[in-house]
Amino acid sequence: MPYVTAFVVGGVICALSQILIDRTRLTPARILTAYVVLGVVLTAVGVYQPLVDFAGAGATVPLLGFGYVLAEGVRTAVAESGLLGALTGGVKAAAGGISAAVVCGLLAALLFRPADKS
């Protein structure tokens, strides 16, 4: 059942993104940025943690989850290091995901021929 819950919650988040792309004039980049910021705000208010507890990976894998990881990393680092943690905590918490994105992007650029579409 946890797999079904994660699939449904993650699917709803992605479906909302697709609706925003189809029905508004917002660019995908703005929607992605808004999702990360929304994840941070919902975590700061305390609303996102219950969703993570309920849906697991369905709530932490989409971009809302990236905002959640950043906010939780900052909260933890501030508790441990004080004000300096506000600058380092988010990046430290998300380092694995950021590194994976950089490595996958590098591999894609090396394996395929990137070119302009024009």
Side-chain angles (χ1 to χ4, degrees):
M1 193 63 180
Y3 295 115
V4 174
T5 305
F7 178 78
V8 169
V9 171
V12 167
I13 291 170
C14 293
L16 290 174
S17 301
Q18 190 63 48
I19 290 169
L20 287 173
I21 290 170
D22 292 343
R23 304 282 175 151
T24 66
R25 301 181 90 188
L26 293 172
T27 62
R30 289 185 178 172
I31 294 169
L32 297 175
T33 304
Y35 265 37
V36 173
V37 172
L38 184 62
V40 170
V41 170
L42 291 176
T43 302
V45 175
V47 175
Y48 205 69
Q49 184 63 47
L51 182 63
V52 169
D53 294 339
F54 172 71
T60 58
V61 171
L63 283 170
L64 286 169
F66 184 67
Y68 164 77
V69 167
L70 291 174
E72 284 297 315
V74 168
R75 183 185 328 228
T76 303
V78 167
E80 293 173 359
S81 306
L83 188 57
L84 184 61
L87 301 173
T88 62
V91 176
K92 185 188 271 187
I98 294 169
S99 298
V102 169
V103 168
C104 289
L106 177 66
L107 288 175
L110 292 174
L111 295 174
F112 304 101
R113 293 185 160 249
D116 290 335
K117 293 184 178 182
S118 56

